[in-house]
């Protein structure tokens, strides 16, 4: 039904940072829960250190890392493709990029009408 449409993707800078983190920590995952402060940024964790909620939505993978979102955030963002990027700044307190003077950032674009139909989001 999705016709190969990616719900989450990453820039080359994000993919490079993910690879660096995987080399240091092993398999990682992302979670975007929403909310204030650190919760509004994509957070990167070692796969064994973060328990994904039963209702969390798997949007896809970036750089081999699964990317999850809380159900409430998914309802808000389901009409958009998330584009994970890296920008200068401080990472989330518990996110693995913290202390590197860069942080992950979620950018987005609305799916086109055609993509929304293919994803079952319209009608």
């Amino acid at each position: 039904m999705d016709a190969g449409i990616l719900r989450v993707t990453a820039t080359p800078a994000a993919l490079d940072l993910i690879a660096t983190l995987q080399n240091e920590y092993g398999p990682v995952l992302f979670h975007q829960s929403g909310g204030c402060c650190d919760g509004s940024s994509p957070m990167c964790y070692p796969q064994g250190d973060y328990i994904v909620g039963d209702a969390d939505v798997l949007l896809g993978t970036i750089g081999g890392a699964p990317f999850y979102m809380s159900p409430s955030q998914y309802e808000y963002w389901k009409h958009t493709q998330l584009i994970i990027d890296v920008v200068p700044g401080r990472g989330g307190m518990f996110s693995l990029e913290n202390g590197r003077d860069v942080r992950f950032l979620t950018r987005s674009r609305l799916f086109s009408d055609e993509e929304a139909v293919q994803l079952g989001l319209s009608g």
Side-chain angles (χ1 to χ4, degrees):
M1 179 115 164
D2 68 8
I5 299 167
L6 299 176
R7 290 187 174 271
V8 62
T9 187
T11 65
L15 293 173
D16 286 346
L17 182 54
I18 293 166
T20 297
L21 296 173
Q22 289 168 329
N23 284 335
E24 290 181 32
Y25 298 99
V28 299
L29 65 81
F30 284 86
H31 192 274
Q32 177 130 9
S33 61
C36 71
C37 308
D38 290 347
S40 59
S41 297
M43 303 290 282
C44 183
Y45 303 101
Q47 282 192 18
D49 288 1
Y50 185 85
I51 299 172
V52 176
D54 291 341
D56 284 346
V57 179
L58 175 63
L59 295 182
T61 60
I62 53 174
F67 192 100
Y68 295 90
M69 180 177 278
S70 69
S72 62
Q73 285 296 300
Y74 176 74
E75 281 304 309
Y76 183 78
W77 289 100
K78 68 183 176 183
H79 291 92
T80 65
Q81 180 184 58
L82 301 185
I83 304 151
I84 307 307
D85 199 358
V86 172
V87 296
R90 296 185 65 191
M93 183 180 297
F94 299 108
S95 193
L96 292 177
E97 82 278 12
N98 189 26
R100 297 171 190 268
D101 296 325
V102 293
R103 66 183 182 92
F104 289 108
L105 175 76
T106 300
R107 301 181 191 279
S108 65
R109 73 164 184 89
L110 286 173
F111 287 122
S112 68
D113 291 343
E114 181 180 306
E115 288 170 321
V117 168
Q118 292 176 4
L119 290 167
L121 298 172
S122 62

